[in-house]
Amino acid sequence: MATKTAAQRRTEARRAYDAYVQECPTRHLLDRISDKWVSLLLTALADEPRRYSDLSRIVAGVSQKMLTQTLRTMERDGLVSRAVTASVPVRVDYELTELGRSLLPVMQAIKSWAETHIEDVLAARERYDDSPA
């Protein structure tokens, strides 16, 4: 077995988490956090823990299946925590974890950018669609 220099080990370590490499796990994470439901739920949880039903009302258009699936995925990834309170009916609250909070400024900036620049994007689309091929 050939030994590796420290420089070779550092190079391999850098490549181990290179999102441009197809097998890189960070690519899968980027795919996950770029999902529209993840970004909307993350920003919806910015200020306080929320119940499932509150999230369903805040994030218009999300189906019950997608809401459940997205929250489970976010919990699995360590972005949200889930607290169940025994009552009738059972109360389930979701809250951002420290890891989720660290992602929040990025998601809030993207959401804000989209809300600020949607008119520019719509105009660009119209120009593109109206231009000869």
Side-chain angles (χ1 to χ4, degrees), residues 70-118:
T70 305
L71 286 168
R72 283 183 183 160
T73 300
M74 292 173 72
E75 184 180 8
R76 181 174 183 246
D77 288 342
L79 301 176
V80 298
S81 62
R82 179 177 179 262
V84 179
T85 305
S87 61
V88 177
V90 172
R91 180 184 171 118
V92 180
D93 292 290
Y94 293 89
E95 183 175 13
L96 290 179
T97 62
E98 189 175 326
L99 185 60
R101 289 209 168 280
S102 72
L103 181 57
L104 188 57
V106 176
M107 287 303 188
Q108 287 174 321
I110 291 170
K111 180 180 174 283
S112 176
W113 183 92
E115 291 168 345
T116 301
H117 294 285
I118 186 60

Side-chain angles (χ1 to χ4, degrees), residues 42-91:
L42 199 77
T43 55
L45 290 165
D47 298 326
E48 62 187 343
R50 298 199 185 267
R51 295 178 75 173
Y52 182 94
S53 58
D54 294 335
L55 290 170
S56 181
R57 277 191 297 278
I58 292 168
V59 183
V62 66
S63 68
Q64 184 176 349
K65 177 184 175 186
M66 276 312 301
L67 180 57
T68 300
Q69 184 177 322
T70 305
L71 286 168
R72 283 183 183 160
T73 300
M74 292 173 72
E75 184 180 8
R76 181 174 183 246
D77 288 342
L79 301 176
V80 298
S81 62
R82 179 177 179 262
V84 179
T85 305
S87 61
V88 177
V90 172
R91 180 184 171 118

Side-chain angles (χ1 to χ4, degrees), residues 11-60:
T11 300
E12 284 182 6
R14 277 194 301 271
R15 280 195 52 80
Y17 294 112
D18 180 351
Y20 292 113
V21 175
Q22 186 173 356
E23 302 80 23
C24 182
T26 58
R27 182 181 280 201
H28 301 290
L29 180 59
L30 285 171
D31 183 46
R32 179 83 41 87
I33 63 177
S34 65
D35 177 82
K36 70 178 173 184
W37 301 124
V38 170
S39 61
L40 292 171
L41 288 169
L42 199 77
T43 55
L45 290 165
D47 298 326
E48 62 187 343
R50 298 199 185 267
R51 295 178 75 173
Y52 182 94
S53 58
D54 294 335
L55 290 170
S56 181
R57 277 191 297 278
I58 292 168
V59 183

